[in-house]
Amino acid sequence: MSRYTGAVCKQCRREGKKLFLKGDRCYTGKCALERRSYAPGQHGQGRKKSSEYGIQLRTKQQARRYYGIQESQFHKYFLMAEKQEGMTGENLLKICESRLDNVVYLLGFASSRQQARQLVVHGHFKVNGKKCDIPSYLLKAGDTVSIKEKSADTESFKVIIEANGSRPVPTWLEKKDNSGKVITLPEREQIAAPVEEHYIVEFYSK
């Protein structure tokens, strides 16, 4: 399946909750969900009945869209989570949180996960001192992420960092100037993803 290239605000409206796909805009009155809190399309305002399967599917879609992950890779993460010790749903979210593009966003080096993914692909970041242009690269405890020196000096990066510098950084990450460190992988209470992960487990366990 190809990556979704349409208006991302439609995804939030379809799921009926904010997935914070447009960065700072999502916190303002310009948020599409604030203005039109119903699903897109001519039948968006119609009454809908949710079955058990429908709830599970929507929850899985919400998580995928929140992190910007395609179905095949998301299912691969689920299979990885099943093999790990602990609760599968929490393991799945931990894997998604540890992606390089997500950590770049959480450290305030991008305004959205979509922008973080683009910046990583363009080679603006290093992991443990080495260039890494793979957004799905899974970080481990102790790994460091830094902006390349040449990139950090550009005007565009200075604008991004200034705009997102005041955003709170999760406690499982440590930020210092133009670099950050993964102190430990997050616990469930440290993950802000607006999903009930047990529905995802139920969906894939059928």
Side-chain angles (χ1 to χ4, degrees), residues 98 128 138-144 172 181-186:
S98 66
N128 298 328
L138 299 180
L139 298 168
K140 304 180 292 295
D143 285 347
T144 59
W172 57 279
K181 182 177 181 180
V182 180
I183 302 172
T184 182
L185 292 182

Side-chain angles (χ1 to χ4, degrees), residues 45-99:
Q45 298 185 65
R47 182 181 177 185
K48 290 183 173 60
K49 295 181 180 179
S50 295
S51 63
E52 182 180 355
Y53 173 81
I55 294 172
Q56 294 167 358
L57 175 62
R58 291 267 57 85
T59 304
K60 187 262 296 182
Q61 294 293 79
Q62 289 165 14
R64 278 207 318 107
R65 290 169 171 171
Y66 181 77
Y67 290 107
I69 303 173
Q70 297 187 56
E71 174 61 34
S72 59
Q73 191 161 39
F74 193 73
H75 187 227
K76 175 185 173 183
Y77 289 160
F78 175 79
L79 297 177
M80 289 172 57
E82 274 191 317
K83 296 177 182 178
Q84 297 176 357
E85 293 183 2
M87 300 181 68
T88 300
E90 291 186 12
N91 292 339
L92 175 61
L93 294 184
K94 287 181 181 181
I95 292 171
C96 294
E97 284 284 305
S98 66
R99 283 170 55 101

